[in-house]
Amino acid sequence: MDASVKGIEKAQQLAHSTGVSVEFIQADLANFDLGREQWDSIIAIFAPFGQALRAKLHQRVVQALVPGGVFLTEAYSPAQIQFGTGGGNDIDTMLTKVQLAQEVKGVKWTHLEQLQRSVVEGRYHTGLAAVVQGVGIKQ
């Protein structure tokens, strides 16, 4: 799922070139109904939502996971602003490990870490980055 038609087109090309079958949904997550207990896993990678919307979305993610379902996420942390390797300059769209744990209640974290790592994701997203990563299992 992606709000960006271009993002979906790129993902479709990649899926086709590697022989992977994927259902793509173009939608705005702010309004998309994730349902209740219907997803085995939900993955959110660099989804830059402001804190108020993100906190509500994180609650909906937990509700949408089946018991034992996995939430996997990676986001920029506020320290990312010093690197300029993606993520923009709005700290409100970034989060810390503490914020992630506070916003995503109802999962047991098997991995929750704030770190710096190299990213190589295109011309404007390459270099050292400050991120928070989490893998949580719905209880």
Side-chain angles (χ1 to χ4, degrees):
M1 177 180 308
D2 200 321
S4 166
V5 172
K6 288 224 179 263
I8 288 176
E9 288 172 354
K10 284 182 176 181
Q12 286 172 325
Q13 290 172 357
L14 180 61
H16 178 74
S17 72
T18 58
V20 175
S21 176
V22 179
E23 178 184 349
F24 294 94
I25 301 170
Q26 194 271 325
D28 180 350
L29 276 175
N31 304 312
F32 185 78
D33 181 9
L34 293 170
R36 290 190 161 275
E37 296 190 353
Q38 71 177 42
W39 300 95
D40 294 320
S41 63
I42 296 177
I43 301 168
I45 306 297
F46 300 123
F49 294 101
Q51 192 277 328
L53 174 58
R54 186 184 64 235
K56 290 177 186 174
L57 183 57
H58 280 153
Q59 292 170 3
R60 291 177 25 223
V61 162
V62 174
Q63 292 171 352
L65 286 169
V66 299
V70 176
F71 176 54
L72 183 145
T73 189
E74 182 169 55
Y76 289 116
S77 71
Q80 173 60 15
I81 289 176
Q82 70 184 333
F83 296 115
T85 54
N89 335 339
D90 187 355
I91 286 181
D92 191 49
T93 64
M94 300 175 185
L95 74 160
T96 66
K97 177 172 106 171
V98 170
Q99 288 173 303
L100 182 59
Q102 289 172 342
E103 291 180 14
V104 184
K105 299 215 184 289
V107 301
K108 179 180 180 187
W109 294 104
T110 60
H111 176 79
L112 183 58
E113 189 172 352
Q114 194 166 324
L115 64 138
Q116 294 177 0
R117 73 168 186 89
S118 178
V119 294
V120 181
E121 298 177 5
R123 184 174 18 171
Y124 301 108
H125 296 91
T126 297
L128 192 60
V131 300
V132 60
Q133 300 172 336
V135 178
I137 300 174
K138 182 176 178 178
Q139 301 299 290

